[in-house]
Each structure stands twice: as structure tokens, then as C-alpha cells.
Amino acid sequence: MSVLIYAQNWDGKFKKSVYELLSYGKKIAENNGTELIALSLGNVEKDELESLANYGADKIYFSNNSAFESFDNEIFTAALKQTAEKVAAKEIILLHNNEGKALGSHLSVALKAGFVSAAVALPESYSPITIKKKVFTGKAFAHVKVNSDIAILTLSPNSFEIKEIASAATTEEMNFTLPTAKTKVESREVSKGKLLLTDADLVVSGGRGLKSGENWGMLEDLAGVLGAALACSRPVSDEGWRSHTEHVGQTGKIIAPNLYIAVGISGAIQHVGGISSSKCIVAINKDPDAPIFEVADYGIVGDAFKIVPELTAALK
Amino acid sequence: MKILVCLGNVPDTTTKIKISDNKLDATGIQWIINPWDELALTRAMELKEDANNLVDGVSVVSVGLASAEPTIRKALAIGADEAFRIDCEPTDAFFTATQLSLVAKDFDIVLTGIESSDYNGISVGGMLAEIIGSASVSAVSSLNIDADKIIVSREIDGGKETVSTQLPVVLTVQKGIAKDPRIPAMRGIMMARQKPLKVIAATSTANLTEILKFEMPQAKGKCKMVDAENVAELVNLLRNEAKVI
Ligand SMILES: Cc1cc2nc3c(=O)[nH]c(=O)nc-3n(C[C@H](O)[C@H](O)[C@H](O)COP(=O)(O)OP(=O)(O)OC[C@H]3O[C@@H](n4cnc5c(N)ncnc54)[C@H](O)[C@@H]3O)c2cc1C
Ligand SMILES: Nc1ncnc2c1ncn2[C@@H]1O[C@H](COP(=O)(O)O)[C@@H](O)[C@H]1O
């Protein structure tokens, strides 16, 4: 028996979030006295593959098959299913991102295994597996029991501490029997060189209080000195001031950075749903009664156009 | 070409969540169409109205008890041609997807939302595709039909892709699929009363998961206010107290 994690790569590189999955999976494997298996699909250099061993992987399976160049629900599901069967996986752990969410739901049917998305902690018990997850967009948690032998989960980002554990992992190439794709990627746009909002430890976010997209320069400066990613409230992306990819909240991205700075954001319940798991929230708002102060750790009441440049200067 | 939109019935997004008796306290809750499903329906209506007229009909389906009917009627008032209600309590995502498969297998394009805003399962769309064995694309943010070819854009982790797909297909849609949801007009509300709402008996199937209990998040400590004249103090607190920078 084993714990299987899917090590997604970005242009052949793994991210911190994959190491977080490994650390989490290792803890479960240690608890159950089983092995931790990592699966990598697509073109990844040997050195990078072996980095998975630094976080506790006992075996690394990989395939450089060109079928994995772009994501396809059926093809990736087939590869994960075949790996899960080969290693008798009891827990399958995925990133809580686009690929992980899609794979979890497909694999659930393919393996007749219960799927729990956005788990926030280690399982509370193992047979059967029960685990805590977010519900009502972070307004509550549910403790969910899995009624099948195999459990599939996606792990909410930033919910587990990354721990380096060197292990002597073996590496093995997999040969899969893959279906023919029913979908075809016609073109791709990659946001190059930009820190992804969902990966960022620090986030600077602006709302309608900034009045127009032209006023974003000061937020870019603040994000620049901090090394933070930018986000915004929904009306800001609806107005076209900023791209939809920056919209956070119930209908946008759900993030959990160490620091979230909300500038000119009132703190509507749908907005807060997307940021409430942040470790530290700072609110800058001219209205002392804005609801954002109810969820913030630190607040400044005042004019953003004065405070943000001062904050940037103080950080320099 | 026939489109089916799967509708979840969820509490209004401004609802303050209260748990009593180990379940959601439904007192005073306004029920709405799950926000992404409402956008999916809007896009389906736009496609049906398109002059090229490749879409012959838009149907909606919901798994739920009779109490879900006002939400289903709202979809008919927005413009769906017919509705199905599969008569049972949706207890788990696999259970729900299995029920939906009873209806979904007869359609070319099936739209589901990326997640329900209540239990946040993020499950039903992918499961449904896997059960009926159709093509599927997740995280879809635009949908166009071009001479019998389906073109969608989808979000990937760090970008965007344009994808073409075979039919039948299940698309899991998110923000961007339509701009604003449609609001039913008076005429639509009147017409909705005449439209068919078929009630289908549920099939028996397993629940792969089960909620044992709920827990409310810990209340936040009070927000520490920093004087607007002393912004440097905020930097100090973030560095030395919160230790986040
Ligand atoms: C189904 C549904 C889903 C939704 N999903 C989301 C979602 O995912 N994300 C989201 O963000 N919203 C979402 N919303 C919208 C949400 O209800 C709010 O309307 C929105 O979050 C408000 O955005 P805002 O705080 O930027 O703007 P406002 O509410 O207009 O707030 C602007 C704030 O800026 C402050 N301000 C103004 N001038 C200054 C200044 N010079 N200096 C400092 N502060 C200033 C004001 O005091 C005010 O608090 C959703 C709504 C619905 C119905
Ligand atoms: N009871 C239901 N009836 C019909 N469709 C549903 C139901 N529950 C969920 N769905 C669909 O599945 C999507 C994802 O839901 P979930 O997996 O519950 O987060 C929703 O956006 C709906 O389109």
C-alpha cells in the first residue's frame, strides 16, 4: 500500500506547492507505515525529478510521453489510475488547482473512490478516512468521512509546513496505455515571468476605492518593493481596470497567502470568502466602519492615495 | 444541437452560515441558482439566440426535492425551454452526478459550474463526464460554436488555452463564460408557468463521502489599528509582530 501524490510541473519545473504535497503525503505514509510515491507526467529533467526525494518521496515514477504536453482530463486520469493501481495507492493527493480539481473528480469515478476537495489538515482518522475541508467558501468547515477504500484529496494551498527529508528514492519510467484525446489544444497563452497569484506569499489587492485602473501604479510600486503579487475585487475586474485573473473572492480565486493587503476594498462577504485563510490581513480604507476591518489583523483608516506611497517608502 | 445546464440550488451568497442540529440552519435563507450555473445558463441562452442558430434547445436539470422548484422555475423564466427535476436529496457529489447522468446522456453539450457555493465539492462536473464517458474540459471561461465545432477557452495553472472538443462534451464553467447573469422579465415569468418541468425518479446509488459534522472558523482577534500619521509603525508590526515580511 502507498500514498500517491501527483507532482505537476510547470515548463519542467516543480513548485513549492508540490513540495508541500510531498511533506503532507510523507506524514500520512509515516503514520500508516506505507511508501510515498510521486508521479511526474511530461518533460522533466532528471535533476529536477530527483528533487522530489528531498521531501520524502520513496519512489518516483515518471513519463516523458509527449501525450502529457498539454493537460487533458481523460489522458491524465488514465495515467493516474494506472499508477494508483500499480502501487496500490490508498490515499491520492493532488494540488488544489485547475489540474488537481479536474483530476480528483474524474479519478473518483474511475477508481470508485471518495473525493474530498480543499482539505485543510491531516486526516483525523484513517480507516475510514475522515478529514476536515472548507465549505461555504471558507465560512465553515466540514469533517468528511470517505466511504471507500481509496481516498482522493486536493490540499488547500499553504495548509501544511514544507519539511525537507532526504530519502534514497528510486526513479522508474512508466509506460501507460492511453486513450486517444477527444480534445485538442489549439493555442496557449502563458503569463511569463509574472508571479502567480495562487503561488504568492504576499498579495497586494485593490478595490473600487481606487477609482480607476490608472491609479494602479502605486499598488504596483508597493507590490514591487514587497515582491508581492497583485489582486483585486470583483468590480475592479468587471470594470476592466484589471484582468479577470486577478479577481479574488467567492466567484474568483481563493487564496491563502501569508500577507494580504486590502486597499480600498469594503470587505463584502463574497470577497472575504476568497481571502479569509490568509495568515495576516491588512486593511487600508477611509471608512472606519468598513466590514473589512472585522476580518483584518491590522488596519489603517485613511486615504489610500496618501497611505500607500508612504507605506512603500517606509518599506524601502 | 441540444444544451443541458445543471443547476444547483444554493443559499444566497450573502447568507450568514449558522449550523444547528449538525446541519445548515435554513431559517430565513434565500435560495438561488448557484452563481456559475446561472452564468452557464446565460451563455446557453446567448448561443440559442445567435443568428447561426446551431442550438435547437436549452434544457435545465436539478437534483433536488420539490423545494428546489422555485429555482428551477427561475431558469425557465430566464429562457430555458424545459426542465427536469430528479426527485431526491443531493447527499454527495458522486450520488448527484449519477442522478444527472440519467438526463445528461441525451445532450450534445452539458454545462456544469466549477463548484457549488455551499458545499464546494468541485466534483460533479468531472464525475458526470467520467460516468457518461464523454469528452470534457474544466475551468472553461468562454464557449463558442463554430460550424459544428466547439471552441472553448480554459484557464490553466499560469495561463489560458484555446481548446476544441468533440461532442458530446461536459464543460465545467467558471467566471468569464458570460458577463452578467440574466434577470427574468415579467413576460418570461408568465411563460415559465406553461413550460414543462418533468419530475424523474432517482436511481439508487452509493454515497462515496458523508459529512459527519460542521465546525465554525475561530473568531478573529480584534483588528489592531495603526494611526494614519504613523505608517512606519505598520511596517514594524508586520516585521516584528506578525513576522510576515
Ligand atoms: C453572487 C456574487 C458573487 C460575488 N463574488 C465576488 C467575488 O468573488 N469577489 C469580490 O470581490 N466581490 C464579489 N461580489 C461582489 C461583492 O458583493 C462586492 O460588491 C464587492 O466585493 C465590492 O468591491 P469593492 O470592495 O472593491 O468595492 P466597494 O464595496 O465599492 O468598496 C470600496 C471601498 O473603498 C473605500 N474607499 C473609497 N475611497 C477610498 C480612498 N481614497 N482610500 C481608501 N479607501 C477608499 C470605501 O470606503 C469602500 O469601503 C459578488 C457578488 C455577488 C452577488
Ligand atoms: N443538486 C444538483 N443538481 C444539479 N446540478 C448540480 C447539483 N449539485 C451540483 N450540481 C452541478 O455541479 C456543479 C459543481 O458542483 P459541486 O461539485 O457540488 O461543487 C454545480 O455548479 C452544478 O452545475
Side-chain angles (χ1 to χ4, degrees), chain A residues 247-282:
Chain A
H247 156 201
V248 293
Q250 175 149 23
T251 44
K253 291 205 166 62
I254 298 189
I255 55 172
N258 288 333
L259 174 64
Y260 182 79
I261 304 182
V263 184
I265 293 176
S266 60
I269 195 159
Q270 297 97 343
H271 184 82
V272 170
I275 59 147
S276 57
S277 302
S278 307
K279 294 227 166 65
C280 176
I281 297 175
V282 172

Side-chain angles (χ1 to χ4, degrees), chain A residues 145-192:
Chain A
K145 174 159 88 78
V146 175
N147 291 333
S148 50
D149 289 338
I150 305 174
I152 303 170
L153 16 134
T154 61
L155 180 66
S156 243
N158 280 343
S159 27
F160 203 75
E161 203 178 330
I162 299 178
K163 217 172 131 200
E164 287 203 41
I165 306 178
S167 62
T170 54
T171 317
E172 186 182 325
E173 183 161 5
M174 291 286 285
N175 278 308
F176 297 111
T177 315
L178 299 176
T180 22
K182 296 191 185 110
T183 69
K184 181 166 168 271
V185 173
E186 308 280 352
S187 66
R188 176 179 304 165
E189 270 171 58
V190 183
S191 8
K192 271 260 175 329

Side-chain angles (χ1 to χ4, degrees), chain B residues 20-181:
Chain B
S20 55
D21 260 353
N22 209 21
K23 48 178 205 292
L24 175 70
D25 180 351
T27 338
I29 287 184
Q30 275 282 109
W31 296 87
I32 60 164
I33 305 178
N34 186 37
W36 295 272
D37 310 351
E38 195 180 24
L39 290 175
L41 175 62
T42 302
R43 184 63 192 144
M45 295 317 306
E46 289 167 3
L47 288 169
K48 191 185 160 196
E49 288 156 13
D50 194 302
N52 296 328
N53 203 23
L54 288 161
V55 176
D56 313 310
V58 175
S59 307
V60 294
V61 59
S62 192
V63 179
L65 300 174
S67 55
E69 289 199 2
T71 299
I72 302 173
R73 285 277 172 215
K74 184 177 171 201
L76 291 171
I78 288 172
D81 302 302
E82 59 166 356
F84 301 92
R85 178 172 69 80
I86 305 176
D87 191 22
C88 58
E89 180 118 39
T91 40
D92 143 80
F94 178 75
F95 174 89
T96 305
T98 306
Q99 306 304 333
L100 289 172
S101 71
L102 299 175
V103 174
K105 58 184 179 2
D106 301 325
F107 287 83
D108 305 293
I109 302 177
V110 178
L111 303 179
T112 78
I114 192 149
E115 69 178 307
S116 306
S117 63
D118 49 5
Y119 297 106
N120 306 118
I122 318 191
S123 304
V124 169
M127 288 181 179
L128 177 58
E130 193 72 27
I131 293 169
I132 61 180
S134 69
S136 69
V137 188
S138 316
V140 167
S141 56
S142 83
L143 161 61
N144 287 293
I145 305 174
D146 178 19
D148 270 349
K149 211 166 136 195
I150 306 298
I151 307 282
V152 303
S153 43
R154 69 144 172 233
E155 190 182 298
I156 55 169
D157 302 305
K160 218 171 106 177
E161 284 176 346
T162 305
V163 179
S164 60
T165 169
Q166 291 179 7
L167 293 175
V169 67
V170 174
L171 302 173
T172 305
V173 312
Q174 61 172 24
K175 187 179 155 106
I177 188 79
K179 200 169 182 316
D180 293 307

Side-chain angles (χ1 to χ4, degrees), chain A:
Chain A
M1 279 193 299
S2 65
V3 179
L4 173 63
I5 75 125
Y6 167 49
Q8 181 178 342
N9 74 80
W10 282 259
D11 283 331
K13 296 279 178 246
F14 300 121
K15 287 188 176 172
K16 210 181 75 190
S17 51
V18 169
Y19 302 134
E20 182 185 357
L21 274 199
L22 283 164
S23 300
Y24 179 85
K26 186 67 181 178
K27 200 85 198 165
I28 297 178
E30 279 172 356
N31 182 80
N32 295 352
T34 57
E35 279 189 309
L36 177 65
I37 315 282
L39 173 68
S40 162
L41 300 174
N43 213 346
V44 178
E45 299 279 344
K46 196 154 178 294
D47 280 359
E48 186 71 8
L49 267 185
E50 283 168 357
S51 75
L52 299 173
N54 301 339
Y55 300 88
D58 297 302
K59 283 206 183 99
I60 300 161
Y61 290 101
F62 70 96
S63 166
N64 294 331
N65 191 326
S66 61
F68 300 120
E69 244 161 51
S70 53
F71 184 72
D72 178 87
N73 286 339
E74 277 185 281
I75 289 176
F76 280 61
T77 299
L80 264 129
K81 176 172 190 262
Q82 286 161 37
T83 312
E85 285 168 349
K86 179 184 160 87
V87 303
K90 253 199 106 222
E91 295 85 12
I92 302 173
I93 305 165
L94 307 161
L95 290 171
H96 190 64
N97 63 5
N98 289 314
E99 283 192 24
K101 291 174 190 178
L103 282 171
S105 55
H106 280 261
L107 265 180
S108 168
V109 174
L111 293 168
K112 265 282 163 57
F115 171 44
V116 181
S117 61
V120 294
L122 284 168
E124 291 145 16
S125 76
Y126 284 93
S127 39
I129 286 231
T130 57
I131 197 157
K132 182 169 158 181
K133 77 165 292 225
K134 281 188 209 177
V135 287
F136 299 106
T137 327
K139 286 186 253 174
F141 296 102
H143 297 264
V144 180
K145 174 159 88 78
V146 175
N147 291 333
S148 50
D149 289 338
I150 305 174
I152 303 170
L153 16 134
T154 61
L155 180 66
S156 243
N158 280 343
S159 27
F160 203 75
E161 203 178 330
I162 299 178
K163 217 172 131 200
E164 287 203 41
I165 306 178
S167 62
T170 54
T171 317
E172 186 182 325
E173 183 161 5
M174 291 286 285
N175 278 308
F176 297 111
T177 315
L178 299 176
T180 22
K182 296 191 185 110
T183 69
K184 181 166 168 271
V185 173
E186 308 280 352
S187 66
R188 176 179 304 165
E189 270 171 58
V190 183
S191 8
K192 271 260 175 329
K194 244 176 56 182
L195 178 59
L196 277 189
L197 182 52
T198 40
D199 293 338
D201 285 331
L202 310 175
V203 174
V204 172
S205 185
R208 193 148 54 187
L210 292 178
K211 312 284 184 306
S212 110
E214 276 118 58
N215 295 330
W216 242 257
M218 65 179 191
L219 290 194
E220 283 166 358
D221 292 344
L222 176 58
V225 293
L226 282 168
L230 284 165
C232 66
S233 68
R234 171 156 128 175
V236 168
S237 70
D238 283 351
E239 293 291 336
W241 299 352
R242 299 295 296 180
S243 147
H244 283 300
T245 56
E246 291 181 6
H247 156 201
V248 293
Q250 175 149 23
T251 44
K253 291 205 166 62
I254 298 189
I255 55 172
N258 288 333
L259 174 64
Y260 182 79
I261 304 182
V263 184
I265 293 176
S266 60
I269 195 159
Q270 297 97 343
H271 184 82
V272 170
I275 59 147
S276 57
S277 302
S278 307
K279 294 227 166 65
C280 176
I281 297 175
V282 172
I284 299 171
N285 197 303
K286 69 172 187 196
D287 173 8
D289 296 323
I292 190 75
F293 291 118
E294 287 162 30
V295 295
D297 299 280
Y298 301 104
I300 298 186
V301 176
D303 182 6
F305 294 95
K306 174 176 165 286
I307 290 164
V308 171
E310 284 181 15
L311 182 57
T312 309
L315 279 161
K316 271 188 183 151

